[in-house]
Amino acid sequence: GSLDFFSDEFFSASVQKANGGQKYDRSGNQDLATSLCDWVFHEKGVLRVGKVEHHKEGEKSPPVAYTVLETVEYTIEIEKFENGKWGPYMADDVQLEFVRID
């Protein structure tokens, strides 16, 4: 259970890959538990959204509604909490789902 997850026994347990594979003196249980706690308690890996803008391509302000054939420009500022402060979130794989209703 959850108490075992944080036990010295689990932290110092050795592991071995299936079917007689390579054996490791120590599992990654402690690293996993530490990272998970940092995330749960909002100490690491937390993102927040700042400024959001969207508009038709070539225009400056958003319309009341978009249609399917219109090209939209969407910008968003995303920040990451790390080492006790907010800073820019640097990534090249952020995905956006933009739903347009006709």
Side-chain angles (χ1 to χ4, degrees):
S2 58
L3 292 178
D4 290 333
F5 184 73
F6 293 99
S7 70
D8 289 340
E9 181 182 355
F10 272 43
F11 283 1
S12 61
S14 63
V15 292
Q16 184 173 5
K17 288 190 176 186
N19 302 321
Q22 185 174 356
K23 186 172 183 167
Y24 298 90
D25 292 334
R26 196 163 175 204
S27 71
N29 291 343
Q30 185 172 6
D31 294 336
L32 172 63
T34 301
S35 293
L36 184 60
C37 286
D38 285 348
W39 178 73
V40 167
F41 294 113
H42 294 202
E43 294 178 11
K44 190 183 280 187
V46 178
L47 303 179
R48 73 176 177 187
V49 172
K51 185 176 178 183
V52 175
E53 293 181 354
H54 58 88
H55 53 80
K56 291 181 189 178
E57 186 175 50
E59 295 185 7
K60 296 291 181 192
S61 59
V64 174
Y66 296 104
T67 62
V68 172
L69 298 177
E70 293 172 327
T71 302
V72 176
E73 291 183 15
Y74 188 95
T75 57
I76 184 171
E77 290 179 2
I78 304 173
E79 296 177 306
K80 180 179 179 180
F81 190 70
E82 195 166 22
N83 299 323
K85 60 184 178 178
W86 291 100
Y89 177 63
M90 306 301 284
D92 60 2
D93 61 347
V94 176
Q95 296 182 21
L96 167 71
E97 181 178 353
F98 197 77
V99 178
R100 297 188 274 190
I101 302 173
D102 277 342

